[in-house]
Amino acid sequence: MGEWSSRVIPIVRGLCLLYVTHKYLGTTVVTYGPSMLPTLGITGNVLLMERISTRTGKLRPGDVVFFRSPENPRRVVCKRLVGMEGDQVTYVVDPKNSDKCNTIVVQKGHVWVEGDNIYNTKDSRNFGAVPYGLVEGKAFWTLLPRKDFGSLAPKPK
Amino acid sequence: MLPTLNVTGSMLLVERISTRTGKLRPGDVVIFRSPEAPRKIVCKRLIGLEGDQITYVVDPQSGDRCETIVVPKGHVWVEGDYIYNTKDSRNFGALPYGLLEGRAFWTLLPRKDFGPLTPKPE
């Protein structure tokens, strides 16, 4: 009994540490889809996400963030943060059809997110500003593919 | 949330399993992160799930005008029990489901309210 528990307890401790890290510090995330080209690839990237910036409120426009989708609560979405609350955001309403722009002020407690690939993305242009409570974390490092290893690129012009 | 919850404060037991498994029903008292102040947790009653048609009184203090909406996908509609003094979905719109934190199912304090929470007063 003593022998068995001396082997199990370190495992349990390790799992607890892993869980606390995952929930409060950060974790790895696998992304897929074309909405963040050219920053993230279609076939998928493995990114490191940290949760500390969201908790301390130290997010800045230009950060790549993960948030729970307002349309599908079981899905976590990855987009770039474009505007914080109170910021004035000008965006192209429908890039495929016209150049018509719209300007809005991001409401209190919300953030404006956009995909880097504006021709193929569902972002705040579709579902509006995202409540800050849905933001899960900020991506700060790419692990895979190997050619992209390193910090994430800023928003392409 | 009068008369269900006390003005001076109630202590409730909240479970997070119903929100994760999606087993919430209209009539449940839920807690959620406020869409306007992300560091604040708010407690209201769940009135409608996604796809439900909700009829609500727009401003109870100034008339009986009602409005009907359909709750959009991925959202819920929450209202306070005391409609004359509450900020709820009538003010900030339908709430994204991802902001829900848990469901209150038992009152611990005050002692006179000890027990399961009452259903919505008519």
Side-chain angles (χ1 to χ4, degrees):
Chain A
M1 177 62 194
E3 192 183 290
W4 173 82
S5 68
S6 73
R7 258 185 287 207
V8 166
I9 286 178
I11 296 178
V12 171
R13 245 189 248 151
L15 289 175
C16 286
L17 193 66
L18 205 64
Y19 175 75
V20 169
T21 307
H22 168 87
K23 188 128 200 291
Y24 295 103
L25 293 179
T27 183
T28 53
V29 182
V30 180
T31 62
Y32 62 91
S35 66
M36 282 294 285
L37 286 169
T39 312
L40 303 177
I42 291 184
T43 44
N45 288 48
V46 178
L47 304 174
L48 281 180
M49 169 184 97
E50 52 96 354
R51 299 188 193 265
I52 299 175
S53 298
T54 34
R55 282 184 176 271
T56 56
K58 290 209 185 326
L59 289 179
R60 295 284 166 267
D63 289 343
V64 176
V65 295
F66 296 90
F67 55 94
R68 215 155 265 289
S69 164
E71 297 178 329
N72 185 358
R74 297 199 192 278
R75 240 182 97 202
V76 178
V77 180
C78 176
K79 298 278 176 275
R80 200 176 288 268
L81 189 69
V82 173
M84 308 288 294
E85 69 178 11
D87 288 353
Q88 206 175 32
V89 173
T90 307
Y91 62 96
V92 184
V93 177
D94 195 2
K96 285 194 264 213
N97 291 339
S98 70
D99 268 335
K100 185 164 82 83
C101 285
N102 216 349
T103 306
I104 53 113
V105 174
V106 182
Q107 53 189 225
K108 190 164 170 301
H110 288 62
V111 293
W112 190 266
V113 292
E114 284 182 13
D116 283 351
N117 182 15
I118 56 171
Y119 298 98
N120 191 359
T121 177
K122 283 181 67 170
D123 51 26
S124 285
R125 271 175 276 222
N126 305 94
F127 45 69
V130 176
Y132 192 89
L134 290 177
V135 178
E136 299 265 324
K138 175 181 120 173
F140 68 101
W141 201 261
T142 309
L143 293 173
L144 290 173
R146 298 289 294 275
K147 61 174 176 65
D148 289 336
F149 188 86
S151 44
L152 283 114
K155 186 176 165 108
K157 291 290 154 197
Chain B
M1 277 294 285
L2 287 171
T4 311
L5 302 179
N6 216 339
V7 170
T8 44
S10 302
M11 187 177 292
L12 308 172
L13 278 179
V14 170
E15 50 98 351
R16 297 187 191 267
I17 299 175
S18 298
T19 36
R20 280 185 179 275
T21 57
K23 290 206 183 331
L24 291 176
R25 295 283 168 268
D28 288 343
V29 174
V30 294
I31 60 168
F32 55 92
R33 215 158 264 288
S34 165
E36 297 176 331
R39 298 197 193 277
K40 225 177 115 197
I41 305 266
V42 182
C43 177
K44 297 276 176 265
R45 198 177 287 270
L46 189 68
I47 301 292
L49 298 169
E50 68 181 9
D52 289 352
Q53 206 176 30
I54 307 286
T55 307
Y56 63 98
V57 183
V58 176
D59 195 2
Q61 282 165 338
S62 59
D64 268 337
R65 187 168 75 89
C66 285
E67 248 184 56
T68 306
I69 54 113
V70 174
V71 182
K73 190 167 170 308
H75 289 66
V76 294
W77 190 267
V78 291
E79 285 182 13
D81 283 350
Y82 188 56
I83 56 173
Y84 298 97
N85 189 1
T86 178
K87 281 180 70 168
D88 51 24
S89 286
R90 271 177 276 219
N91 305 96
F92 50 67
L95 186 77
Y97 192 96
L99 289 176
L100 288 175
E101 298 269 326
R103 180 182 78 102
F105 65 100
W106 199 264
T107 310
L108 294 173
L109 291 174
R111 297 288 297 274
K112 62 176 173 69
D113 290 336
F114 189 88
L117 285 119
T118 51
K120 185 176 162 109
E122 291 305 323

